Amino acid sequence: MKKLKINKTTKHNFITYLMVFIAFAAASLLLAAGQMSSLMEGLLVPLCIYVMLAISLNLTVGILGELSLGHAGFMCVGAFSSAFFSKCTEGTLPDGFRFFIAILIGAAAAGVFGILIGIPVLRLKGDYLAIVTLAFGEIIKNLVNVLYIGKDQNGFHFSMKDSISLNLDPEGQIIVNGAQGITGTPNDSSFIIGIILIFISLAVILNLINSRDGRAIMSIRDNRIAAESVGINITKYKLMAFSISAAIAGAAGVLYAHNLSTLTASPKNFGYNMSIMILVFVVLGGIGNIRGSMIAAVILTLLPELLRGLSDYRMLIYAIVLIAMMLFNWSPRAVEWKEGMKEKYLGGLKKRREKEVK
């Protein structure tokens, strides 16, 4: 009988999916056995959110090769558009169906913003692109903080002054209340839904990377002039990667919005620091390394909470881990050692196959 041959790409993708499944199974077993603390249980959905944000930003930074600092802005768009929809349709649609539509709306809204922002912004390079995307994130956050939307029997009312200016009927309802955000969003997010969204995000990104379009995107990253000289449409492929990355960030924002009772556009939630934190996940996990971004997001999210008991040394240990991960991923000696181990492993497999053939 002939053995089924699996190519390297399929095997690599299978290992990535398997890692997510093992993590899900381990967490589910701990939950079922009652061995997981309430603190860790509360971190399960945020872990899914950060993993989605990390792998989506890696599509822009690692695969497309463009530095974006406005990823929190796309997350904000997805969060508020989906929360607005859920708040308006609460009680009129079944919960599961409403949340499914909310995910589609959040991802689509963020994807559209990705296209609109990408058309002018992706003409820039390097630091200029980073500065403009950073400005986009701040503009979105500040715009939401001055937006007031209400609903009564006459329809929707908009204002950018205050809630009184909406002139609602006595039975009217304020949906978006400026800096106070949206209150009472249905709590539909769950760990299972987060894992499903991670699988979908991985399927989209890994299939894109290994497709003809993905190879075109990576050729633009490696040498834009050479890619353009062979007829690759630079604008098309840049927009494709940027909008897909934004849409996945928007879906992560939907999870985030439906995991809170009150959604506000604060600097902590959707500001500059959030975008930098997502970029840290990407850099420490390895630029272009989807699996590494997932691992970095999980470790750097869990570590501060696991070390909370060591209050005096918590941030010191966190900093040491950051430095160690950076050295492991980027030090020339570490890279050389990893390549050596990889060759040794592949050489061992080759010898085994040769023995089996004989």
Side-chain angles (χ1 to χ4, degrees):
M1 290 179 66
K2 290 184 178 179
K3 289 186 177 180
L4 181 64
K5 290 185 178 180
I6 302 174
N7 62 38
K8 187 178 177 181
T9 300
T10 305
K11 191 182 294 184
H12 184 275
N13 293 349
F14 176 75
I15 292 171
T16 305
Y17 294 128
L18 186 62
M19 283 174 52
V20 178
F21 179 77
I22 290 171
F24 168 68
S28 299
L29 287 173
L30 289 173
L31 278 172
Q35 298 298 313
M36 186 176 288
S37 66
S38 58
L39 175 64
M40 290 299 296
E41 189 175 345
L43 281 174
L44 292 177
V45 173
L47 278 173
C48 296
I49 294 167
Y50 290 133
V51 167
M52 289 177 65
L53 290 170
I55 61 177
S56 62
L57 183 60
N58 212 342
L59 178 60
T60 299
V61 176
I63 308 304
L64 180 59
E66 300 290 356
L67 180 60
S68 172
L69 294 179
H71 218 54
F74 297 119
M75 180 185 172
C76 183
V77 170
F80 274 89
S81 59
S82 64
F84 180 80
F85 168 79
S86 294
K87 188 72 176 173
C88 291
T89 58
E90 189 175 12
T92 60
L93 294 173
D95 292 349
F97 180 70
R98 183 191 63 230
F99 188 50
F100 174 73
I101 299 297
I103 292 172
L104 295 181
I105 288 174
V112 168
F113 268 81
I115 294 172
L116 295 177
I117 298 300
I119 290 172
V121 163
L122 290 175
R123 298 177 186 274
L124 304 173
K125 297 179 183 178
D127 296 340
Y128 299 104
L129 175 65
I131 291 168
V132 174
T133 52
L134 172 63
F136 159 73
E138 293 299 309
I139 289 169
I140 288 293
K141 175 176 66 67
N142 292 324
L143 185 62
V144 170
N145 282 330
V146 297
L147 189 63
Y148 296 86
I149 304 176
K151 180 185 177 184
D152 59 14
Q153 61 182 0
N154 296 320
F156 290 101
H157 299 257
F158 300 86
S159 175
M160 297 188 76
K161 186 178 178 183
D162 52 40
S163 57
I164 299 173
S165 303
L166 294 173
N167 296 321
L168 296 173
D169 291 343
E171 296 180 356
Q173 179 187 22
I174 298 174
I175 300 173
V176 182
N177 194 15
Q180 296 180 28
I182 300 176
T183 305
T185 307
N187 191 1
D188 294 325
S189 294
S190 67
F191 181 50
I192 295 175
I193 294 173
I195 290 293
I196 292 171
L197 288 177
I198 288 175
F199 273 116
I200 293 171
S201 303
L202 282 173
V204 171
I205 292 173
L206 293 177
N207 282 304
L208 174 64
I209 291 171
N210 298 312
S211 68
R212 183 179 178 182
D213 292 337
R215 289 189 289 273
I217 291 167
M218 287 184 281
S219 70
I220 295 169
R221 174 197 66 190
D222 296 335
N223 193 319
R224 175 174 176 154
I225 296 173
E228 199 167 13
S229 68
V230 296
I232 292 175
N233 190 328
I234 304 293
T235 304
K236 171 188 169 183
Y237 288 109
K238 276 193 167 187
L239 275 178
M240 180 188 294
F242 197 70
S243 59
I244 291 172
S245 174
I248 295 173
V254 177
L255 267 183
Y256 182 84
H258 290 76
N259 195 44
L260 301 171
S261 56
T262 302
L263 178 66
T264 57
S266 64
K268 182 181 177 182
N269 296 345
F270 303 112
Y272 169 76
N273 289 332
M274 174 63 85
S275 293
I276 292 297
M277 186 176 72
I278 303 166
L279 184 61
V280 167
F281 296 155
V282 173
V283 173
L284 290 182
I287 294 176
N289 186 346
I290 301 299
R291 195 187 301 164
S293 297
M294 293 165 53
I295 295 170
V298 171
I299 291 174
L300 297 182
T301 304
L302 288 178
L303 199 61
E305 304 303 329
L306 294 174
L307 297 174
R308 193 168 289 277
L310 304 171
S311 56
D312 295 334
Y313 306 101
R314 183 164 62 104
M315 295 315 293
L316 174 62
I317 297 172
Y318 184 74
I320 291 172
V321 172
L322 284 178
I323 294 168
M325 289 182 68
M326 182 70 78
L327 290 173
F328 182 75
N329 280 315
W330 300 104
S331 169
R333 287 188 178 181
V335 172
E336 187 179 335
W337 176 80
K338 284 189 286 185
E339 289 296 327
M341 292 297 292
K342 187 177 179 181
E343 289 177 7
K344 186 178 179 181
Y345 173 72
L346 292 174
L349 286 178
K350 189 176 180 182
K351 287 180 180 179
R352 286 180 191 175
R353 287 177 182 174
E354 288 175 354
K355 286 181 180 179
E356 288 175 359
V357 170
K358 289 178 180 179

